[in-house]
Amino acid sequence: MSDKKVIAVLGATGAQGGGLVRAILNDKSGGFSARALTRDVNSDKAKALAEMGAEVVAADLDNAESLSKAFQGTYGVFAVTNFWEHYSPEKEKAQAKSIAKAAKNAGVKHIIWSTLEDTRNFIPLTDNRMPTLGDGKYKVPHFDGKGESNKYFTEQNLPVTFLNTSFYWDNFIYFGMGPKKGPDGKLALSLPSGERKLAGIAAEDIGKSAYGIFKNGSEFIGKTVAITGGNLTGKMMADSFGKALGKEVVFNAIPFDVYRGLGFPGADDLGNMFQFYHDFEDYFCGVRSVDFTKSINPELKSFDKWLDENKSKIPLD
Ligand SMILES: NC(=O)c1ccc[n+]([C@@H]2O[C@H](COP(=O)([O-])OP(=O)(O)OC[C@H]3O[C@@H](n4cnc5c(N)ncnc54)[C@H](OP(=O)(O)O)[C@@H]3O)[C@@H](O)[C@H]2O)c1
């Protein structure tokens, strides 16, 4: 039997967990093995992970029993929930609570909870600079539910690292946020970020950073670790797009209210998120440092490097 430390990875078929599974499997002498958790062990993504050498095990965040079973015999757990599948902070909180309880039952030695700030600690619900959402309970529902859930891990006295992530640059590929051709035929990157900086990262680097945290043993247990690949203004990103694509890309700062009103599911949540990034730029970018992130993930990609590798995937129409 292998004496490697087993890390159970939630969201293994997704961006964050997938990055961690690949980081574990690519480091043959690292002393860790990956248990990839998924609801469907027969999906193409699950099969691809098995082929790469991961142990693929069924688990469902909505089934506490399945989590307890899946965490048995593990050294570590990487925990992430997917707000965008249900748009419910209540559900996200229930899932986080189940994860924390299951980790406690299994006696895991280190759990990383992929979380974000509870924006209500910065913008109280009574602050009318942005609408209050989610039945009058949240400002940025997909941040607040995660941040509020931090307490479930501390309540269980778990050896936890809170991993505060950043905006995925991959949203420019998969979320339609990249530059688009305007009526004048020019490419414009349109974001509600004004002149302030946005902390961003290649999604794959989140998993790689989580791996760095596990490898550091006890150093980050009981701590909050915030990561970024680069803190950049919209104009800086537009200039990088221009260089990468070999065409002019202008930056267009959309007002927050206009973005909130775009009508796609979650537009109000994301509009509030961008306003939070904007209004608390000093805090948000201040706690997210490229140098620190490189210290736990030496392969960390800059925006320019990420763009160079991914520009052909970005839909421009
Ligand atoms: N986009 C951004 O810029 C950004 C930035 C920071 C944080 N985030 C946060 O990242 C989270 C999503 O992570 P991601 O992007 O890595 O996910 P993703 O690529 O969208 O994939 C979703 C993953 O969640 C798993 N999952 C969903 N529901 C599950 C359930 N009930 N039981 C077990 N597994 C479940 C899926 O596994 P199976 O389908 O295989 O079961 C899949 O692996 C969101 O909560 C979001 O708020 C996003």
Side-chain angles (χ1 to χ4, degrees), residues 5-25 32-39 46 49 54-61 67 70-72 74-81 99 108 110-112 114 206-208 210-211 214:
K5 293 174 174 170
V6 180
I7 296 182
V9 183
L10 282 158
T13 57
Q16 295 192 27
L20 173 57
V21 171
R22 287 181 282 278
I24 295 170
L25 297 177
F32 293 92
S33 67
R35 181 176 294 172
L37 308 187
T38 172
R39 288 166 294 183
L49 293 174
E55 176 196 5
V56 177
V57 168
D60 187 334
L61 288 167
L67 293 176
F71 292 173
Q72 285 308 317
T74 60
Y75 162 84
V77 169
F78 176 78
V80 61
T81 45
I99 296 168
V108 305
H110 192 178
I111 180 164
I112 298 178
S114 174
I206 298 178
K208 286 184 181 178
Y211 184 51
F214 279 124

Side-chain angles (χ1 to χ4, degrees), residues 199-249:
I201 193 163
E204 189 77 6
D205 274 322
I206 298 178
K208 286 184 181 178
S209 302
Y211 184 51
I213 293 169
F214 279 124
K215 276 201 305 188
N216 271 289
S218 58
E219 187 180 348
F220 297 113
I221 290 180
K223 304 226 167 90
T224 298
V225 169
I227 54 172
T228 182
N231 301 335
L232 305 167
T233 62
K235 166 89 172 65
M236 288 159 88
M237 288 191 276
D239 289 348
S240 286
F241 271 115
K243 257 191 274 155
L245 299 170
K247 295 176 190 162
E248 189 190 3
V249 178

Side-chain angles (χ1 to χ4, degrees), residues 59-313:
D60 187 334
L61 288 167
D62 298 323
N63 178 341
E65 180 70 30
S66 76
L67 293 176
S68 286
K69 270 197 202 146
F71 292 173
Q72 285 308 317
T74 60
Y75 162 84
V77 169
F78 176 78
V80 61
T81 45
N82 186 13
F83 177 88
W84 301 111
E85 192 164 312
H86 46 69
Y87 298 84
S88 162
E90 309 305 329
K91 187 157 185 166
E92 203 162 32
K93 287 191 284 183
Q95 292 178 337
K97 198 172 183 177
S98 297
I99 296 168
K101 276 194 186 160
K104 186 72 181 177
N105 291 341
V108 305
K109 303 285 185 295
H110 192 178
I111 180 164
I112 298 178
W113 165 231
S114 174
T115 185
L116 285 162
E117 282 83 352
D118 184 337
T119 64
R120 296 165 298 180
N121 295 330
F122 301 80
I123 311 168
L125 294 179
T126 49
D127 185 328
N128 290 325
R129 79 178 79 187
M130 61 176 69
T132 295
L133 306 173
D135 295 329
K137 289 197 266 185
Y138 305 98
K139 285 297 188 188
V140 184
H142 79 282
F143 271 52
D144 299 348
K146 291 183 181 68
E148 190 182 327
S149 295
N150 292 358
K151 68 180 179 205
Y152 301 129
F153 298 87
T154 39
E155 276 167 12
Q156 296 283 351
N157 269 322
L158 281 163
V160 63
T161 303
F162 296 114
L163 180 60
N164 276 342
T165 60
S166 295
F167 176 86
Y168 304 174
W169 292 324
D170 308 65
N171 294 332
F172 293 129
I173 305 174
Y174 304 110
F175 211 81
M177 287 190 185
K180 297 273 173 290
K181 246 184 220 147
D184 57 359
K186 273 193 189 162
L187 284 170
L189 176 67
S190 302
L191 288 175
S193 54
E195 293 180 358
R196 305 270 172 89
K197 288 179 177 164
L198 189 66
I201 193 163
E204 189 77 6
D205 274 322
I206 298 178
K208 286 184 181 178
S209 302
Y211 184 51
I213 293 169
F214 279 124
K215 276 201 305 188
N216 271 289
S218 58
E219 187 180 348
F220 297 113
I221 290 180
K223 304 226 167 90
T224 298
V225 169
I227 54 172
T228 182
N231 301 335
L232 305 167
T233 62
K235 166 89 172 65
M236 288 159 88
M237 288 191 276
D239 289 348
S240 286
F241 271 115
K243 257 191 274 155
L245 299 170
K247 295 176 190 162
E248 189 190 3
V249 178
V250 295
F251 175 62
N252 173 26
I254 316 178
F256 305 120
D257 277 334
V258 170
Y259 195 90
R260 281 189 273 267
L262 286 178
F264 64 85
D268 48 1
D269 184 331
L270 289 174
N272 282 6
M273 172 193 83
F274 279 113
Q275 189 171 353
F276 171 67
Y277 279 134
H278 178 272
D279 292 3
F280 295 90
E281 177 206 32
D282 284 352
Y283 158 78
F284 201 85
C285 291
V287 298
R288 286 163 169 79
S289 132
V290 169
D291 284 347
F292 168 76
T293 311
K294 266 198 186 140
S295 74
I296 56 171
N297 169 18
E299 292 173 9
L300 184 75
K301 286 186 181 138
S302 66
F303 184 55
D304 286 337
K305 170 104 170 113
W306 178 86
L307 252 187
D308 199 46
E309 292 174 4
N310 290 281
K311 61 188 174 194
S312 63
K313 297 185 207 156

